[in-house]
Amino acid sequence: MTRIAVYPGSFDPITYGHLDLIERGVVLADSLIVAIATNPEKRTLFTVEERVELIRRALEGRPAAGRVRVDAFGGLLVDYARANGATLILRGLRAVSDFEYEFQMALMNRHLEPGIETVFMTTSAKHSFLSSRLVKEVASLGGSVDGMVPPPVIEALAGKFPRSRKPAARGPR
């Protein structure tokens, strides 16, 4: 039996924290679907199509890439997971403050679909401060997001925020 996991989120934009969870989470299943949640009421910087493309480009050349599929969905996550044969939902926790909301969602999802388990993974310490919201804020104010997001996202942010800085050239270390 093939074990499929779903890693849902808005990924607006994808960060190195998200990529860390993808690379670590893919070992829990035979395949992982990075599922972009669409919500017409939520304002996003990037369109769904742009986010799909940015995630695909960010995954290029990474070990997990062959076992990851990028998709978008609307509606209930458990309905999407069930329709795709998934038995796991992967969720990331950056801080204790994330836990209460995520725990509540996991319990609701279990109530709606007892056959799908939620697995929590903590982010790596070096990425624990990252959020898509903060990345967008830094870029919009002209700051560098080098080291927070992959190069395709840096380029895309520069297109949205002309003031955002390109990564500084680094010399030998």
Side-chain angles (χ1 to χ4, degrees):
M1 182 174 144
T2 301
R3 180 168 282 233
I4 300 169
V6 174
Y7 178 31
S10 59
F11 305 103
D12 186 42
I14 190 164
T15 69
Y16 279 130
H18 293 128
L19 288 171
D20 175 58
L21 282 176
I22 291 168
E23 290 173 344
R24 291 172 39 231
V26 77
V27 302
L28 301 174
D30 299 305
S31 66
L32 176 71
I33 303 169
V34 176
I36 301 168
T38 60
N39 180 347
E41 294 178 21
K42 186 174 181 181
R43 286 186 43 152
T44 58
L45 179 63
F46 295 100
T47 66
V48 171
E49 296 77 19
E50 287 172 320
R51 287 180 276 163
V52 166
E53 182 61 22
L54 286 172
I55 294 168
R56 286 185 178 144
R57 289 181 59 204
L59 286 167
E60 286 176 3
R62 293 183 174 273
R67 294 177 39 209
V68 175
R69 178 167 59 97
V70 183
D71 197 12
F73 77 98
L76 290 173
L77 173 59
V78 291
D79 290 343
Y80 176 82
R82 186 183 317 111
N84 283 276
T87 56
L88 292 174
I89 294 171
L90 174 64
R91 297 298 296 164
L93 299 173
R94 287 179 301 226
V96 174
S97 57
D98 291 342
F99 181 75
E100 186 174 351
Y101 171 78
E102 293 295 344
F103 183 67
Q104 205 172 19
M105 290 302 297
L107 291 175
M108 178 57 78
N109 286 336
R110 183 181 297 151
H111 173 77
L112 295 171
E113 181 51 66
I116 299 175
E117 284 293 332
T118 300
V119 177
F120 297 113
M121 291 186 81
T122 57
T123 57
S124 296
K126 68 181 180 179
H127 302 302
S128 63
F129 70 95
L130 278 178
S131 73
S132 295
R133 181 186 57 78
L134 285 175
V135 165
K136 290 183 287 193
E137 186 174 338
V138 168
S140 74
L141 296 171
S144 172
V145 293
D146 186 30
M148 297 179 214
V149 294
V153 176
I154 292 173
E155 293 169 20
L157 286 167
K160 301 281 185 178
F161 304 117
R163 290 177 35 187
S164 71
R165 285 189 238 148
K166 297 278 186 196
R170 297 182 189 223
R173 292 188 180 225

